[in-house]
Amino acid sequence: MRLVGFQVAVLAVLLAGPALAEPALLKVDFGFFPKGTTCQPYGTGGKVTMKEGREIRFKIKGDTGHVSFRCKQPDGRSFEVQTGRLLPPGSPSMVAVQINQDDHAHVLWDDGGLRKTVVADVLKWK
């Protein structure tokens, strides 16, 4: 009977699909947006630090799995980005995401070597 319980538990995990990573550190960089663009993170209780310069950079420590950003450009247009769907499978300790105005995100993480993927259609314009 114990074997059946174990098999049911394994099947439930397999049907749930691969777990998305919730890295301890998430770095998000908004690159190539007009000067004066502002962004606010939502969906995290972790420690958030922000640095503005040529780009807007966020560093989030802890509670990184469901972070969203709401941004507004100087011309009044606004958009939202949900970073949870950009996180790679597995359990990397750090993920870096560069979000560009061309509606693409470059996602970098270490998984026994540096990995990179490009994700299209990340900006949800409002």
PDB file of all heavy atoms in Angstrom, residues 53-69:
ATOM      1  N   GLY A  53      19.751  55.490 -13.673  1.00  0.00           N
ATOM      2  CA  GLY A  53      20.834  56.117 -14.416  1.00  0.00           C
ATOM      3  C   GLY A  53      20.408  56.101 -15.870  1.00  0.00           C
ATOM      4  O   GLY A  53      19.287  56.503 -16.197  1.00  0.00           O
ATOM      5  N   ARG A  54      21.260  55.593 -16.721  1.00  0.00           N
ATOM      6  CA  ARG A  54      20.856  55.416 -18.126  1.00  0.00           C
ATOM      7  C   ARG A  54      19.747  54.375 -18.223  1.00  0.00           C
ATOM      8  O   ARG A  54      18.970  54.364 -19.158  1.00  0.00           O
ATOM      9  CB  ARG A  54      22.042  54.964 -18.971  1.00  0.00           C
ATOM     10  CG  ARG A  54      23.061  56.056 -19.179  1.00  0.00           C
ATOM     11  CD  ARG A  54      24.162  55.614 -20.082  1.00  0.00           C
ATOM     12  NE  ARG A  54      23.648  55.494 -21.454  1.00  0.00           N
ATOM     13  CZ  ARG A  54      24.266  54.837 -22.401  1.00  0.00           C
ATOM     14  NH1 ARG A  54      25.390  54.211 -22.163  1.00  0.00           N
ATOM     15  NH2 ARG A  54      23.748  54.772 -23.611  1.00  0.00           N
ATOM     16  N   GLU A  55      19.724  53.478 -17.260  1.00  0.00           N
ATOM     17  CA  GLU A  55      18.725  52.423 -17.214  1.00  0.00           C
ATOM     18  C   GLU A  55      18.128  52.381 -15.806  1.00  0.00           C
ATOM     19  O   GLU A  55      18.706  52.912 -14.867  1.00  0.00           O
ATOM     20  CB  GLU A  55      19.383  51.082 -17.546  1.00  0.00           C
ATOM     21  CG  GLU A  55      20.014  51.073 -18.927  1.00  0.00           C
ATOM     22  CD  GLU A  55      20.818  49.806 -19.173  1.00  0.00           C
ATOM     23  OE1 GLU A  55      21.242  49.145 -18.207  1.00  0.00           O
ATOM     24  OE2 GLU A  55      21.019  49.490 -20.346  1.00  0.00           O
ATOM     25  N   ILE A  56      16.990  51.731 -15.682  1.00  0.00           N
ATOM     26  CA  ILE A  56      16.371  51.523 -14.371  1.00  0.00           C
ATOM     27  C   ILE A  56      16.716  50.097 -13.957  1.00  0.00           C
ATOM     28  O   ILE A  56      16.390  49.141 -14.675  1.00  0.00           O
ATOM     29  CB  ILE A  56      14.844  51.698 -14.436  1.00  0.00           C
ATOM     30  CG1 ILE A  56      14.476  53.058 -15.006  1.00  0.00           C
ATOM     31  CG2 ILE A  56      14.233  51.511 -13.052  1.00  0.00           C
ATOM     32  CD1 ILE A  56      13.011  53.192 -15.340  1.00  0.00           C
ATOM     33  N   ARG A  57      17.369  49.957 -12.812  1.00  0.00           N
ATOM     34  CA  ARG A  57      17.809  48.638 -12.353  1.00  0.00           C
ATOM     35  C   ARG A  57      17.213  48.322 -10.992  1.00  0.00           C
ATOM     36  O   ARG A  57      17.239  49.150 -10.094  1.00  0.00           O
ATOM     37  CB  ARG A  57      19.325  48.595 -12.250  1.00  0.00           C
ATOM     38  CG  ARG A  57      19.992  48.781 -13.576  1.00  0.00           C
ATOM     39  CD  ARG A  57      21.481  48.759 -13.441  1.00  0.00           C
ATOM     40  NE  ARG A  57      22.055  48.988 -14.758  1.00  0.00           N
ATOM     41  CZ  ARG A  57      23.300  48.784 -15.053  1.00  0.00           C
ATOM     42  NH1 ARG A  57      24.126  48.366 -14.126  1.00  0.00           N
ATOM     43  NH2 ARG A  57      23.739  49.016 -16.274  1.00  0.00           N
ATOM     44  N   PHE A  58      16.675  47.114 -10.897  1.00  0.00           N
ATOM     45  CA  PHE A  58      16.115  46.631  -9.637  1.00  0.00           C
ATOM     46  C   PHE A  58      16.879  45.397  -9.206  1.00  0.00           C
ATOM     47  O   PHE A  58      17.253  44.568 -10.028  1.00  0.00           O
ATOM     48  CB  PHE A  58      14.637  46.261  -9.802  1.00  0.00           C
ATOM     49  CG  PHE A  58      13.734  47.425 -10.012  1.00  0.00           C
ATOM     50  CD1 PHE A  58      13.456  47.884 -11.284  1.00  0.00           C
ATOM     51  CD2 PHE A  58      13.150  48.065  -8.925  1.00  0.00           C
ATOM     52  CE1 PHE A  58      12.609  48.966 -11.480  1.00  0.00           C
ATOM     53  CE2 PHE A  58      12.309  49.138  -9.113  1.00  0.00           C
ATOM     54  CZ  PHE A  58      12.047  49.592 -10.393  1.00  0.00           C
ATOM     55  N   LYS A  59      17.066  45.277  -7.896  1.00  0.00           N
ATOM     56  CA  LYS A  59      17.637  44.081  -7.297  1.00  0.00           C
ATOM     57  C   LYS A  59      16.655  43.642  -6.223  1.00  0.00           C
ATOM     58  O   LYS A  59      16.326  44.429  -5.330  1.00  0.00           O
ATOM     59  CB  LYS A  59      18.997  44.373  -6.684  1.00  0.00           C
ATOM     60  CG  LYS A  59      19.714  43.131  -6.176  1.00  0.00           C
ATOM     61  CD  LYS A  59      20.993  43.454  -5.416  1.00  0.00           C
ATOM     62  CE  LYS A  59      22.003  44.151  -6.286  1.00  0.00           C
ATOM     63  NZ  LYS A  59      23.278  44.390  -5.552  1.00  0.00           N
ATOM     64  N   ILE A  60      16.168  42.413  -6.331  1.00  0.00           N
ATOM     65  CA  ILE A  60      15.175  41.911  -5.387  1.00  0.00           C
ATOM     66  C   ILE A  60      15.745  40.663  -4.725  1.00  0.00           C
ATOM     67  O   ILE A  60      16.129  39.710  -5.409  1.00  0.00           O
ATOM     68  CB  ILE A  60      13.844  41.591  -6.090  1.00  0.00           C
ATOM     69  CG1 ILE A  60      13.330  42.856  -6.779  1.00  0.00           C
ATOM     70  CG2 ILE A  60      12.827  41.033  -5.109  1.00  0.00           C
ATOM     71  CD1 ILE A  60      12.220  42.627  -7.752  1.00  0.00           C
ATOM     72  N   LYS A  61      15.795  40.679  -3.393  1.00  0.00           N
ATOM     73  CA  LYS A  61      16.289  39.541  -2.625  1.00  0.00           C
ATOM     74  C   LYS A  61      15.111  38.914  -1.893  1.00  0.00           C
ATOM     75  O   LYS A  61      14.467  39.567  -1.098  1.00  0.00           O
ATOM     76  CB  LYS A  61      17.351  39.990  -1.621  1.00  0.00           C
ATOM     77  CG  LYS A  61      18.623  40.456  -2.273  1.00  0.00           C
ATOM     78  CD  LYS A  61      19.654  40.840  -1.228  1.00  0.00           C
ATOM     79  CE  LYS A  61      20.914  41.321  -1.901  1.00  0.00           C
ATOM     80  NZ  LYS A  61      21.924  41.724  -0.919  1.00  0.00           N
ATOM     81  N   GLY A  62      14.838  37.654  -2.192  1.00  0.00           N
ATOM     82  CA  GLY A  62      13.750  36.926  -1.551  1.00  0.00           C
ATOM     83  C   GLY A  62      12.403  37.234  -2.179  1.00  0.00           C
ATOM     84  O   GLY A  62      12.198  38.308  -2.718  1.00  0.00           O
ATOM     85  N   ASP A  63      11.506  36.276  -2.156  1.00  0.00           N
ATOM     86  CA  ASP A  63      10.144  36.422  -2.689  1.00  0.00           C
ATOM     87  C   ASP A  63      10.168  36.948  -4.130  1.00  0.00           C
ATOM     88  O   ASP A  63       9.607  37.984  -4.443  1.00  0.00           O
ATOM     89  CB  ASP A  63       9.322  37.327  -1.788  1.00  0.00           C
ATOM     90  CG  ASP A  63       7.826  37.226  -2.068  1.00  0.00           C
ATOM     91  OD1 ASP A  63       7.409  36.255  -2.737  1.00  0.00           O
ATOM     92  OD2 ASP A  63       7.086  38.117  -1.631  1.00  0.00           O
ATOM     93  N   THR A  64      10.830  36.190  -5.011  1.00  0.00           N
ATOM     94  CA  THR A  64      11.046  36.639  -6.387  1.00  0.00           C
ATOM     95  C   THR A  64      10.187  35.932  -7.429  1.00  0.00           C
ATOM     96  O   THR A  64      10.280  36.249  -8.606  1.00  0.00           O
ATOM     97  CB  THR A  64      12.522  36.427  -6.772  1.00  0.00           C
ATOM     98  OG1 THR A  64      12.837  35.035  -6.655  1.00  0.00           O
ATOM     99  CG2 THR A  64      13.447  37.253  -5.906  1.00  0.00           C
ATOM    100  N   GLY A  65       9.343  35.016  -7.037  1.00  0.00           N
ATOM    101  CA  GLY A  65       8.617  34.186  -7.999  1.00  0.00           C
ATOM    102  C   GLY A  65       7.481  34.848  -8.743  1.00  0.00           C
ATOM    103  O   GLY A  65       7.118  34.402  -9.826  1.00  0.00           O
ATOM    104  N   HIS A  66       6.887  35.908  -8.207  1.00  0.00           N
ATOM    105  CA  HIS A  66       5.700  36.504  -8.834  1.00  0.00           C
ATOM    106  C   HIS A  66       5.800  38.020  -8.913  1.00  0.00           C
ATOM    107  O   HIS A  66       4.830  38.732  -8.669  1.00  0.00           O
ATOM    108  CB  HIS A  66       4.445  36.110  -8.053  1.00  0.00           C
ATOM    109  CG  HIS A  66       4.262  34.630  -7.964  1.00  0.00           C
ATOM    110  ND1 HIS A  66       3.856  33.874  -9.023  1.00  0.00           N
ATOM    111  CD2 HIS A  66       4.476  33.766  -6.937  1.00  0.00           C
ATOM    112  CE1 HIS A  66       3.809  32.596  -8.661  1.00  0.00           C
ATOM    113  NE2 HIS A  66       4.188  32.507  -7.399  1.00  0.00           N
ATOM    114  N   VAL A  67       6.966  38.508  -9.279  1.00  0.00           N
ATOM    115  CA  VAL A  67       7.177  39.954  -9.319  1.00  0.00           C
ATOM    116  C   VAL A  67       6.647  40.521 -10.637  1.00  0.00           C
ATOM    117  O   VAL A  67       6.861  39.956 -11.705  1.00  0.00           O
ATOM    118  CB  VAL A  67       8.675  40.308  -9.171  1.00  0.00           C
ATOM    119  CG1 VAL A  67       8.882  41.804  -9.218  1.00  0.00           C
ATOM    120  CG2 VAL A  67       9.224  39.723  -7.878  1.00  0.00           C
ATOM    121  N   SER A  68       5.925  41.629 -10.543  1.00  0.00           N
ATOM    122  CA  SER A  68       5.449  42.379 -11.711  1.00  0.00           C
ATOM    123  C   SER A  68       5.955  43.803 -11.596  1.00  0.00           C
ATOM    124  O   SER A  68       6.207  44.294 -10.494  1.00  0.00           O
ATOM    125  CB  SER A  68       3.926  42.416 -11.763  1.00  0.00           C
ATOM    126  OG  SER A  68       3.404  41.131 -11.938  1.00  0.00           O
ATOM    127  N   PHE A  69       6.081  44.454 -12.724  1.00  0.00           N
ATOM    128  CA  PHE A  69       6.471  45.857 -12.753  1.00  0.00           C
ATOM    129  C   PHE A  69       5.430  46.629 -13.550  1.00  0.00           C
ATOM    130  O   PHE A  69       4.990  46.180 -14.613  1.00  0.00           O
ATOM    131  CB  PHE A  69       7.841  46.030 -13.424  1.00  0.00           C
ATOM    132  CG  PHE A  69       8.966  45.472 -12.623  1.00  0.00           C
ATOM    133  CD1 PHE A  69       9.342  44.144 -12.750  1.00  0.00           C
ATOM    134  CD2 PHE A  69       9.646  46.263 -11.710  1.00  0.00           C
ATOM    135  CE1 PHE A  69      10.373  43.621 -11.997  1.00  0.00           C
ATOM    136  CE2 PHE A  69      10.680  45.754 -10.956  1.00  0.00           C
ATOM    137  CZ  PHE A  69      11.048  44.424 -11.103  1.00  0.00           C
TER     138      PHE A  69
END
